[in-house]
Amino acid sequence: MPKSDSIVIIPTYNERENIENIVRAVLGLDKDFHVLIVDDGSPDGTAGIVRSLMAETFAGRLHLIERSGKLGLGTAYIAGFRWSLAQGYDYIFEMDADFSHAPADLPRLYAACKERGADLAVGSRYVSGVNVVNWPMGRVLMSYFASKYVRLVTGMRVHDATAGFKCYTRRVLEAIDLDRVRFKGYAFQIEMKFTAYCLGFRIEEVPIVFVNRQQGTSKMSGGIFGEALFGVVRLRIAALAGKIKRNA
């Protein structure tokens, strides 16, 4: 089988209810995607399910990084970015394990970069209205106005600043100094977009419908949201001070 140019990174912690279905859904698409699971020591056996799938069906297309503890979303993605770049992938995706991001939208993000020349494609809940299903109204409002707040503070013309469904081209991740990425939660998603924006990369928002998870437990917390709220100001100050630079 020829090597794919695209890999989908899926961080996991206690996702045994979802992991097999999401892997099969992504690897069952017509476009040949590969998948990298970054598991933070899930006590529910998520990594064991992935290992079984690797041995049973998906050798060479499904990969696994196992970490010793719950180290944070941002560090999971950075570990995945480093691995994916070292393996030579040109299009590197972020995606949740819980089907809140539809696998069928992956080719649309890919097309935004491969065919339309975007450097970073963002699966956006808010670029064409509010496209969120089964979230409590309070959480919808918190997320929507958080993105408005980010636009106001940073000047970045992205409607869904906290979105976690993305396609990076290799050149973006090679230009960002991953050692200097400081945030781990919601603010990580903002920081990566804002850094790409400051470095002059073209960002395209692709409208998606976000559906709240049906299985498993959300990892969102007030502390994660607070990190984003105050982290945005720090990012703007760093940009004004000229501290956001291309990786040497």
Side-chain angles (χ1 to χ4, degrees):
M1 179 182 297
K3 184 180 183 302
S4 175
D5 62 353
S6 303
I7 190 158
V8 182
I9 303 172
I10 304 177
T12 56
Y13 183 78
N14 285 350
E15 292 287 355
R16 67 173 297 116
E17 297 96 339
N18 295 303
I19 192 60
E20 180 171 353
N21 289 335
I22 195 69
V23 166
R24 291 188 183 278
V26 174
L27 296 182
L29 294 168
D30 290 339
K31 163 78 174 93
D32 180 24
F33 291 99
H34 289 187
V35 172
L36 171 63
I37 305 298
V38 183
D39 186 71
D40 271 7
S42 298
D44 72 347
T46 297
I49 295 171
V50 176
R51 287 194 298 272
S52 296
L53 291 170
M54 291 167 67
E56 168 202 337
T57 309
F58 299 119
R61 298 184 66 203
L62 176 60
H63 308 278
L64 173 65
I65 295 175
E66 294 186 70
R67 306 200 303 170
S68 58
K70 195 174 181 183
L71 304 175
L73 180 73
T75 64
Y77 273 127
I78 288 173
F81 295 158
R82 293 188 191 282
W83 187 93
S84 300
L85 290 171
Q87 297 301 313
Y89 292 96
D90 293 322
Y91 301 94
I92 300 167
F93 295 73
E94 294 185 11
M95 185 180 188
D96 290 349
D98 60 7
F99 285 93
S100 55
H101 304 142
D105 286 329
L106 287 166
R108 298 174 60 231
L109 296 180
Y110 176 78
C113 293
K114 177 71 172 180
E115 298 172 12
R116 297 196 294 276
D119 298 302
L120 168 59
V122 177
S124 178
R125 298 163 290 187
Y126 307 129
V127 71
S128 59
V130 177
N131 295 307
V132 178
V133 177
N134 292 336
W135 257 7
M137 182 55 66
R139 188 166 175 186
V140 173
L141 292 173
M142 180 178 72
S143 173
Y144 178 77
F145 285 107
S147 286
K148 292 287 189 183
Y149 166 76
V150 172
R151 281 167 61 91
L152 177 66
V153 173
T154 65
M156 179 173 59
R157 308 304 295 173
V158 173
H159 292 84
D160 194 352
T162 61
F165 192 23
K166 294 184 281 185
C167 174
Y168 296 91
T169 57
R170 161 178 284 273
R171 57 185 171 269
V172 174
L173 294 179
E174 288 179 333
I176 294 174
D177 187 348
L178 298 175
D179 289 330
R180 294 177 63 86
V181 176
R182 54 190 114 174
F183 296 117
K184 295 182 178 181
Y186 245 27
F188 167 80
Q189 303 292 7
I190 301 167
E191 182 174 8
M192 291 295 293
K193 294 184 193 72
F194 185 58
T195 303
Y197 170 79
C198 289
L199 294 179
F201 289 109
R202 187 165 81 79
I203 302 173
E204 179 177 332
E205 290 187 87
V206 176
I208 64 161
V209 176
F210 179 95
V211 181
N212 194 29
R213 69 162 61 232
Q214 299 297 311
Q215 302 288 334
T217 303
S218 173
K219 313 305 186 293
M220 181 57 61
S221 70
I224 289 173
F225 183 73
E227 178 192 58
L229 183 67
F230 298 107
V232 169
V233 176
R234 293 173 58 188
L235 290 173
R236 180 60 173 163
I237 292 171
L240 291 172
K243 294 182 179 180
I244 299 179
K245 301 176 181 178
R246 285 181 180 263
N247 191 26

